[in-house]
């Protein structure tokens, strides 16, 4: 007797519908699992057998074969346990096969029959919806995450015993809830150890003590603050260079709060990535704010762009999708890791090829680089006693390659804070709320202008469109054309200057950029003074 039903396997951050088939034949009792399973999936044979027996059902004493189709797709993880158990019970006629023919089931089984949550539920349910399925069964702890997908009926269960009762139209037994006042051990399956606030996946100032990072906390630094506003309004990459203690990290940590809230589609994209990576906080199924990721400078190339054994897992560039990727002490990163960022900076995604397959991971992020002028950090300070030889300084600054810096739109020098600003005598700067309001207005203008196109921010618009369809005021490009002829700008650099100029115009409410907007964009990119006010929203 054969039986078939559907489950989901995850490849990267995309779900693939997998059909679970169970076949019972007369013969010596045995359990065979086929279909390219990994070690954790092979071990499901023992988990499923114990869970079925401890749930009050009889294990069939026949030759049992469970197949995972399509067999050419590698399967990994413990999320198949629930589907395998139902397939076996259907083949043994304990439940009606027709009841689960069009139901997707995701979940790990404990030896006592409890259904444990697994990572990657949201992308799995999204794939189920795209394949035409309307009903899913998931662990109770992840029911809220699965319910984010519209048009899907979600059933959250605590145990296999409850699921059998629902499918057989029997009284549903009460399963005791987890003890109050203690951490839920079931939630351990949703988080990868070491991915808390200290792992660079949230601003360091957001420690859960009620204090939120605010731009008003930054003393002075008018020009870097304005560059931060331009970066948030247009999605432009930013380089902050200056001596230690000037406030580079403080500025970068406050950028994610300036970014507008994520749209519904963007929230689903970010939540799916974080669910697969195991960093989705339990009890918060939907990520609504722009993420912030700050890997340590010892990070490898695989940890930045994605990789690992078997099917590649999302890296830092994917965890920062629709948010901020902050690389503090950027010259200390390996050259191989930094150069690997070139492709996602241009395309908005990264393609990772491994022996187990090729995975395409989304990676449209806003990159912020922070760098010191030399190894000791005192090279640009007068009388600070920098002892770094010129050759060491040149070698240190050359670690940020030219092709990588060519993809950075804004380059700002962060000067040391003077005494008046540090002691508050110069007054507090604008708060995050005020700056974020201007950023939202600027993005709304850009979205209205780009309506009907596949782009939403100025940083995404191709250079051809900027030069042919989105025309500037007459004579506005004269200074940029001179810099291009002198070799100060490359062709890619000119396109990025045009994008920044549109963002500056959006911040001050103009219909199109003029010569002064282009001058501001050139100064932000080249660092050469152009004699124009740097205020993004003023003249």
């Amino acid at each position: 007797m054969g039986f078939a039903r559907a489950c989901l396997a995850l490849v990267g951050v995309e779900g693939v519908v997998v059909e679970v088939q169970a076949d019972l034949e007369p013969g010596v009792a045995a359990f065979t699992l086929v279909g390219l399973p990994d070690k954790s999936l092979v071990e499901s044979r023992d988990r499923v057998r114990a869970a079925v027996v401890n749930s009050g059902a009889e294990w069939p004493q026949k030759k049992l074969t469970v197949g995972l189709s399509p067999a050419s797709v590698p399967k990994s993880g413990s999320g198949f346990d629930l589907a395998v158990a139902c397939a076996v019970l259907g083949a043994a006629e304990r439940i009606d096969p027709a009841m689960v023919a069009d139901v997707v089931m995701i979940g790990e089984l404990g030896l006592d029959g409890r259904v444990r949550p697994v990572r990657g539920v949201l992308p799995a349910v999204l794939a189920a919806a795209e394949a035409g399925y309307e009903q899913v069964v998931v662990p109770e702890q992840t029911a809220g995450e699965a319910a984010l997908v519209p048009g899907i009926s979600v059933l959250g269960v605590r145990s296999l015993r409850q699921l059998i009762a629902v499918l057989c139209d029997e009284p549903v037994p009460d399963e005791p809830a987890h003890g109050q006042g203690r951490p839920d051990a079931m939630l351990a399956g949703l988080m990868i150890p070491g991915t808390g606030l200290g792992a660079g996946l949230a601003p360091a100032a957001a420690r859960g003590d009620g204090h939120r990072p605010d731009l008003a906390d930054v003393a002075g630094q008018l020009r870097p603050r304005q560059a931060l506003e331009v970066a948030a309004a247009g999605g432009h990459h930013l380089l902050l260079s200056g001596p230690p203690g000037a406030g580079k990290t403080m500025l970068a940590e406050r950028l994610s709060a300036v970014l507008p809230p994520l749209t519904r589609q963007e929230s689903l994209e970010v939540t799916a990535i974080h669910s697969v990576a195991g960093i989705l906080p339990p009890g918060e199924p939907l990520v609504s704010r722009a993420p912030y990721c700050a890997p340590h400078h010892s990070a490898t190339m695989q940890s930045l762009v994605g990789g690992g054994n078997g099917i590649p897992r999302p890296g830092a560039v994917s965890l920062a999708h629709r948010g901020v990727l902050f690389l503090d002490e950027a010259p200390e990163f390996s050259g191989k890791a930094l150069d690997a960022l070139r492709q996602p900076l241009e395309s908005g995604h990264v393609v990772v090829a491994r022996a187990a397959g090729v995975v395409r991971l989304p990676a449209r992020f806003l990159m912020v680089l922070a760098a010191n002028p030399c190894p000791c950090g005192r090279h640009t300070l007068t009388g600070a006693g920098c002892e770094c030889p010129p050759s060491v300084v040149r070698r240190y600054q050359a670690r940020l390659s030219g092709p990588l810096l060519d993809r950075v739109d804004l380059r700002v020098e962060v000067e040391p804070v003077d005494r008046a600003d540090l002691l508050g005598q110069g007054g507090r700067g604008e708060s995050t709320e005020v700056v974020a309001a201007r950023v939202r207005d600027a993005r709304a203008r850009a979205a209205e202008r780009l309506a009907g196109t596949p782009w939403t921010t100025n940083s995404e618009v191709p250079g051809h469109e900027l030069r042919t369809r989105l025309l500037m005021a007459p004579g506005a490009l004269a200074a940029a054309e001179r810099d291009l002829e002198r070799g100060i700008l490359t062709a890619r650099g000119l396109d990025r200057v045009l994008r920044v100029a549109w963002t500056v115009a959006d911040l001050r409410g103009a219909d199109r950029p003029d010569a002064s907007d282009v001058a501001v964009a050139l100064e932000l990119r080249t660092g050469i003074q152009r004699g124009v006010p740097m205020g993004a929203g003023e003249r």
Side-chain angles (χ1 to χ4, degrees), residues 82-356:
L82 200 58
V84 172
C86 288
V88 173
L89 293 174
E93 298 184 341
R94 174 62 179 86
I95 60 178
D96 184 4
M99 293 296 296
V100 291
D102 296 322
V103 179
V104 173
M105 298 185 180
I106 311 163
E108 176 187 334
L109 285 176
L111 298 183
D112 59 351
R114 285 293 188 101
V115 180
R116 302 180 64 91
V118 294
R119 297 187 296 269
V121 168
L122 178 59
V125 177
L126 286 171
E130 293 177 359
Y133 292 91
E134 298 179 353
Q135 294 179 319
V136 297
V137 177
V138 298
E140 186 181 48
Q141 292 88 342
T142 57
E145 182 181 345
L148 296 174
V149 182
I152 291 290
S153 176
V154 179
L155 173 62
V157 294
R158 291 183 181 178
S159 66
L160 179 61
R161 188 181 300 107
Q162 284 187 340
L163 180 58
I164 294 175
V166 172
L167 296 176
C168 297
D169 198 16
E170 300 173 354
V172 179
D174 290 333
E175 295 288 349
H178 188 269
Q180 298 296 326
R182 290 182 298 166
D184 191 350
M186 292 288 186
L187 298 178
L190 296 177
M191 297 288 291
I192 294 178
T195 55
L197 294 179
L201 297 171
R207 297 181 296 269
D209 55 2
H211 175 70
R212 301 290 299 178
D214 196 305
L215 268 177
D217 300 333
V218 181
Q221 305 300 355
L222 177 61
R223 181 169 300 183
R225 287 168 58 97
Q226 292 164 344
L228 204 74
E229 182 176 343
V230 173
H236 306 289
H237 306 304
L238 173 65
L239 169 63
L240 300 173
S241 58
K248 302 187 293 295
T249 302
M250 288 187 64
L251 288 165
E253 288 177 346
R254 284 148 179 79
L255 179 57
S256 60
V258 178
L259 294 175
L262 301 178
T263 63
R264 176 72 178 185
Q265 180 60 34
E266 292 172 346
S267 295
L268 290 176
E269 294 175 5
V270 175
T271 303
I273 298 171
H274 288 201
S275 178
V276 172
I279 62 172
L280 190 63
E284 299 180 14
L286 187 65
V287 179
S288 59
R289 298 294 304 175
Y292 172 90
C293 186
H296 191 259
H297 59 75
S298 62
T300 63
M301 183 186 71
Q302 288 76 14
S303 66
L304 284 181
V305 301
N309 297 327
I311 299 297
R313 299 183 63 84
V317 296
S318 296
L319 299 181
H321 181 60
R322 303 295 183 184
V324 178
L325 176 66
F326 176 46
L327 302 183
D328 199 5
E329 305 293 344
E332 299 294 345
F333 283 78
S334 70
K336 185 178 180 181
L338 289 175
D339 289 339
L341 299 177
R342 297 184 193 177
Q343 183 215 1
L345 286 175
E346 287 290 330
S347 62
H349 65 269
V350 59
V351 179
V352 183
R354 294 293 184 268

